[in-house]
Amino acid sequence: IEDPIVDVISVADSSLIQYINGSSGDLSGIEIEAELTDIGPFSLRGNLTYIDATLIYPVSNAGLVSDTVVQFPFQPEWIANLNLGYKNEDLGITANIVYNFTGEYATTLRSLNTGSDIVQSPQHGIDLVIGKKFVFKKHLRCSKVVVRRQ
């Protein structure tokens, strides 16, 4: 990637963000996905992603500017998802417990060699998703639709 645009903490005022062009960057990775569905009404799905998002950009070091190598902002090195599912065809019910992991990543980079990046900590999330299928034998009809703007 040529001349990627990144936001950095301003040298003049650390409460300000400025945009600069990085020297170059490279983005590559691998994703592995697996699924197990032959376990009765249950299923297990998961994926694991590794991202190598290398950014080279200039930083100041005692008045001298030199390139430093970091992970691209907003690009975690690791992402993982795991889904345990249940499906009952007779009742039309599905339930899924979903676990998500997103690794640490920088959101704003330092402009001074002695400075610090602004970093988003690793995130863990668990969701419960429940679904019910409804079958209607009669047609539903909407005779009037009102859209209001405020």
Side-chain angles (χ1 to χ4, degrees), residues 85-120:
Y86 170 80
K87 185 174 187 178
N88 185 313
E89 295 276 349
D90 296 335
L91 297 176
I93 294 174
T94 60
N96 291 279
I97 297 174
V98 184
Y99 168 74
N100 300 297
F101 169 77
T102 302
E104 178 181 277
Y105 58 87
T107 59
T108 306
L109 302 175
R110 64 190 179 276
S111 55
L112 294 171
N113 198 34
T114 57
S116 298
D117 299 333
I118 298 174
V119 176
Q120 173 66 53

Side-chain angles (χ1 to χ4, degrees), residues 45-99:
R45 295 179 177 90
N47 67 355
L48 178 66
T49 304
Y50 170 75
I51 303 169
D52 181 14
T54 305
L55 168 68
I56 301 171
Y57 79 104
V59 294
S60 180
N61 185 14
L64 301 173
V65 177
S66 62
D67 281 342
T68 190
V69 179
V70 297
Q71 185 88 352
F72 259 103
F74 296 97
Q75 287 293 321
E77 193 172 15
W78 293 100
I79 299 173
N81 299 289
L82 186 62
N83 181 347
L84 174 61
Y86 170 80
K87 185 174 187 178
N88 185 313
E89 295 276 349
D90 296 335
L91 297 176
I93 294 174
T94 60
N96 291 279
I97 297 174
V98 184
Y99 168 74

Side-chain angles (χ1 to χ4, degrees), residues 13-25:
D13 182 351
S14 63
S15 67
L16 298 177
I17 305 299
Q18 66 185 46
Y19 297 93
I20 65 166
N21 284 92
S23 303
S24 65

